[in-house]
Amino acid sequence: MKAVVVGYGAMGRIIASMLKDDLHSIVAIECENKSLNDVKGDFDVIIDFSNPANLDMIYDYCKANNKAVVFATTGYTEAQLAKINDLANYAPVLRSANFSLGVILLNKLVKEITPILKDSFDIEIIEAHHHHKVDAPSGTAKMLLNSVVEATGFTPVYGRDGYSPRKPDEVGVHAVRGGSIVGEHDVMYCGEDEIITLKHSAHSKKIFAVGAIKAARWLEDKSNGFYTMEDVLFQNK
């Protein structure tokens, strides 16, 4: 697999190192100084671990050249997400809010148990990240929230303030920022006299690189369309 990594921050450097160690070809570029049009030679797939400001560049290039792209960036607006979905008409596209294999499994478990517990358990989502993270709630928390809302129709409540009692058809979402926390996500099901918690803790950013590379390998020979990490892990397509 020949890969181009868009963005050469912490995650970009980890992915570049892992690909080189696995004897894959790689071109790592910093989008502040270069664009995909500057890449010399052919390649199979783009892995984007940069920021939403680079979407237009990636969209234009992939649409024109029919290149597969793995979107690992978070913080997109609704309009940008619509643009990513549109790109799937012209190229193989895979986007995920989180590339940890454990988080994808966590989300699958949330989808399975929420319909069972929704009538007798209150549901709260708590996420924690390092103090440099700029978006809140995290993309992963939003993914988990979407799974809960799809199964329940509950109304999201972001943080809690004031004196209003909790309503039974709410799902709370809470963000914590501090220190060097890599990433923690809890989905709590709180019933009478018992609590069930689904929890994932990331101890290294390497787990996200492992998932992104796995996604890229899986995507490189796929036809145009929109794919997710659930497709990669559970062979949905």
Side-chain angles (χ1 to χ4, degrees), residues 8 21 27-28 47 61 72-73 76 79 82 87 108 111 121 126 129 140 208 236:
Y8 206 47
D21 289 346
V27 179
I47 303 175
Y61 185 89
T73 298
Y76 291 114
L87 181 58
K108 185 174 179 64
K111 291 180 178 180
F121 285 73
I126 305 170
H129 285 85
T140 302
F208 309 123
N236 292 339

Side-chain angles (χ1 to χ4, degrees), residues 40-223:
K40 306 299 182 184
D42 196 18
F43 58 90
D44 304 305
V45 61
I46 297 165
I47 303 175
D48 173 40
F49 249 116
S50 57
N51 63 73
N54 292 313
L55 176 59
D56 288 346
M57 175 192 69
I58 297 170
Y59 176 92
D60 292 342
Y61 185 89
C62 291
K63 182 177 179 179
N65 296 279
N66 188 234
K67 288 297 183 182
V69 56
V70 174
F71 285 104
T73 298
T74 60
Y76 291 114
T77 65
E78 290 300 318
Q80 287 176 316
L81 291 175
K83 194 164 190 174
I84 291 173
N85 289 337
D86 179 69
L87 181 58
N89 294 310
Y90 309 99
V93 172
L94 188 150
R95 188 185 72 84
S96 180
N98 193 304
F99 280 84
S100 158
L101 306 185
V103 164
I104 302 306
L105 179 57
L106 169 64
N107 192 46
K108 185 174 179 64
L109 292 173
V110 168
K111 291 180 178 180
E112 291 182 354
I113 74 170
T114 297
I116 300 171
L117 301 177
K118 65 183 179 67
D119 294 329
S120 53
F121 285 73
D122 297 323
I123 306 173
E124 299 280 308
I125 298 171
I126 305 170
E127 59 96 343
H129 285 85
H130 52 86
H131 56 219
H132 295 295
K133 186 170 180 62
V134 295
D135 57 314
S138 68
T140 302
K142 292 178 180 178
M143 176 178 69
L144 297 169
L145 173 63
N146 287 340
S147 296
V148 171
V149 171
E150 287 176 3
T152 63
F154 289 175
T155 300
V157 174
Y158 298 93
R160 297 198 181 276
D161 189 22
Y163 297 93
S164 299
R166 187 190 198 281
K167 298 178 181 178
D169 60 348
E170 294 178 353
V171 51
V173 186
H174 312 276
V176 176
R177 295 290 176 268
S180 59
I181 301 170
V182 175
E184 295 187 0
H185 293 88
D186 291 20
V187 183
M188 299 179 64
Y189 297 85
C190 306
E192 292 295 326
D193 302 318
E194 61 180 336
I195 298 174
I196 301 169
T197 301
L198 299 179
K199 181 181 182 68
H200 180 271
S201 296
H203 299 286
S204 166
K205 291 182 178 181
K206 184 177 179 180
I207 63 173
F208 309 123
V210 169
I213 292 171
K214 183 178 182 71
R217 288 172 176 157
W218 184 88
L219 188 67
E220 63 175 315
D221 61 352
K222 294 295 182 292
S223 58

